[in-house]
Amino acid sequence: MPPSSSDKVIICKAAVAWVAGEELVMEEVEVAPPQPHEIRIKVICTSLCGSDLSAWESQTIFPRIFGHEASGVVESIGEGVTEFKEGDHVLTVFTGECMNCRQCKSNRSNVCSVLGLERRGLMHSDQKTRFSIKGKPVYHYCAVSSFSEYTVVHSGCAVKVDPQAPLEKLCLLSCGVATGLGAAWNVADVSRGSTVVIFGLGTLGLSVAQGAKLKGAARVIGVDINPEKAIKAKDFGVHEFLNPKDFQEPIPQVIKKMTDGGADYCFECVGDAGVVTTALQSCCDGWGLTVTLGVPKGKPEISAHYGLLLTGRTLKGTMFGGWRPKSDLPSLVDKYLNKEIQVDELITHNLPFENINEAFNLMKEGKCLRCVIHMPK
């Protein structure tokens, strides 16, 4: 039987976005009980991702509670939930795994057709919200909404983790770090001795660099317009740093001269359709592979000369680095606990929940990699 609290509304604090690009407002919100196959989570820590920033600046669904990289403790469970119990430590995931749809059963994809990326601000199960203020709905983000002391997610969008793992670090694995590592390991399958170029050296790009280093890449080149990122990048395996502002000729030409015709692998980690084209141009003929990971907030269409593809280049995209969240994420947690991957080093700031707007400002100004926001105890 579900715990008795599963049928009660919780009133708590949440950082609510009322208008695109304007500061979040700390509000008292009602959090509804979990419905069938859902769990209600007490959020412990949540980190600000670039996707939150982009959506906050550009989307039109409001009022809304953003946030999707989070760790927490199960507070109550809905009818039919057997995988979780009250007190379990969990990570939220922005794309779920139902285990039963064609995509999940294929073993070839992690894009669940039942619990995939939710774009309308509603719950997967009944297309309603679990948040409200004075009886009026407040919309979700990616079916997670972790900028709230409590949230409700589908049980397929949460992953149980080792209770000994530090939740204040682990939240980074629920999006950015996992996506970058997976892009290098699962999607590109970077080969030993290869040359890798990474466009954008935020958390996503540095996680790609780490993944490429662990796969044995011989040369990792980082490209970013922020020169301050060069030093941190070395710690994650970037051998050379390029700032496009330092060159008169286009950066693909610079890279081709440096690499005898182009890189084996390029990764677009900015969230810019134009940079996707630049990355594709920077690959070598024959087998050059470009993987795009970023989420553009502006023009989403990609433009490229067909000759780039005729000469053998490949362009691929990835959601969550190809990881099946419930099946694969526990192995990444194990790697973290065994000190096989770097996570802590990506946390540049820790802030209390009431200072969440400072985290947005830091990211807008390019002054942080990951800012972990700590909920009141």
Side-chain angles (χ1 to χ4, degrees):
M1 291 290 291
S4 58
S5 61
S6 66
D7 60 355
K8 297 178 181 177
V9 171
I10 285 178
I11 298 175
C12 69
K13 293 287 187 181
V16 178
W18 290 94
V19 179
E22 293 193 4
E23 282 199 350
L24 308 185
V25 180
M26 205 62 70
E27 304 275 14
E28 279 198 344
V29 299
E30 297 97 37
V31 185
Q35 297 304 298
H37 306 293
E38 296 175 354
I39 61 175
R40 189 161 57 188
I41 298 170
K42 177 177 172 57
V43 178
I44 301 299
C45 287
T46 180
S47 42
L48 178 61
C49 175
S51 301
D52 294 307
L53 183 69
S54 297
W56 167 71
E57 290 179 326
S58 63
Q59 293 191 2
T60 58
I61 301 172
F62 294 98
R64 199 170 199 179
I65 299 172
F66 287 104
H68 63 283
E69 281 191 354
S71 58
V73 177
V74 175
E75 178 271 338
S76 57
I77 61 175
E79 181 183 346
V81 175
T82 57
E83 179 185 356
F84 299 100
K85 64 182 185 302
E86 182 181 339
D88 282 344
H89 287 202
V90 294
L91 290 178
T92 60
V93 285
F94 66 92
T95 179
E97 185 180 0
C98 76
M99 306 285 194
N100 294 313
C101 71
R102 177 189 179 192
Q103 295 283 332
C104 287
K105 287 181 175 179
S106 72
N107 209 30
R108 300 168 58 191
S109 166
N110 70 336
V111 185
C112 177
S113 57
V114 175
L115 300 175
L117 186 61
E118 208 293 314
R119 301 176 187 273
R120 291 179 290 179
L122 304 170
M123 293 296 290
H124 288 99
S125 53
D126 60 5
Q127 300 299 294
K128 296 180 181 178
T129 74
R130 301 290 177 264
F131 296 106
S132 61
I133 295 178
K134 297 178 181 178
K136 295 184 178 181
V138 177
Y139 295 96
H140 298 249
Y141 178 63
C142 291
V144 175
S145 293
S146 56
F147 295 163
S148 172
E149 292 178 319
Y150 288 85
T151 190
V152 177
V153 304
H154 194 283
S155 61
C157 295
V159 179
K160 190 187 301 185
V161 297
D162 187 330
Q164 301 303 313
L167 293 177
E168 71 275 11
K169 313 288 188 184
L170 223 55
C171 53
L172 273 69
L173 288 176
S174 65
C175 181
V177 175
T179 300
L181 288 169
W185 294 348
N186 305 325
V187 183
D189 191 17
V190 169
S191 57
R192 181 170 294 277
S194 60
T195 297
V196 173
V197 177
I198 302 164
F199 293 84
L201 296 177
T203 296
L204 207 54
L206 294 182
S207 298
V208 171
Q210 177 181 184
K213 177 181 72 173
L214 292 171
K215 288 283 285 185
R219 193 177 184 188
V220 179
I221 301 169
V223 182
D224 203 293
I225 60 174
N226 184 350
E228 295 180 2
K229 293 186 176 180
I231 297 174
K232 190 76 168 181
K234 290 182 179 179
D235 297 336
F236 286 83
V238 174
H239 304 108
E240 299 160 84
F241 177 83
L242 302 178
N243 185 341
K245 293 181 178 180
D246 294 339
F247 300 92
Q248 291 186 338
E249 58 186 334
I251 204 69
Q253 293 182 23
V254 175
I255 291 170
K256 285 183 177 181
K257 288 178 182 178
M258 292 174 62
T259 58
D260 189 25
D264 299 299
Y265 306 94
C266 286
F267 295 86
E268 185 280 319
C269 303
V270 177
D272 186 296
V275 178
V276 176
T277 304
T278 299
L280 191 61
Q281 292 168 339
S282 303
C283 279
C284 67
D285 289 340
W287 60 83
L289 170 64
T290 289
V291 180
T292 178
L293 297 78
V295 179
K297 65 179 179 182
K299 173 179 171 288
E301 293 83 12
I302 296 170
S303 175
H305 194 283
Y306 76 96
L308 294 173
L309 302 177
L310 284 182
T311 51
R313 293 173 177 84
T314 301
L315 173 62
K316 299 181 76 171
T318 179
M319 182 80 71
F320 200 48
W323 301 109
R324 296 168 300 166
K326 295 181 79 68
S327 300
D328 299 333
L329 207 49
S331 68
L332 266 188
V333 174
D334 289 342
K335 287 183 182 295
Y336 169 74
L337 293 174
N338 293 331
K339 302 186 185 306
E340 296 174 38
I341 57 174
Q342 294 171 271
V343 175
D344 299 12
E345 295 83 354
L346 291 163
I347 301 171
T348 53
H349 296 78
N350 288 275
L351 291 174
F353 186 36
E354 60 264 28
N355 292 352
I356 189 169
N357 285 305
E358 183 181 339
F360 275 76
N361 291 333
L362 287 166
M363 182 163 279
K364 280 195 297 182
E365 295 165 4
K367 294 180 179 178
C368 77
L369 288 171
R370 274 299 185 267
C371 181
V372 174
I373 297 155
H374 298 256
M375 293 296 176
K377 293 189 184 300

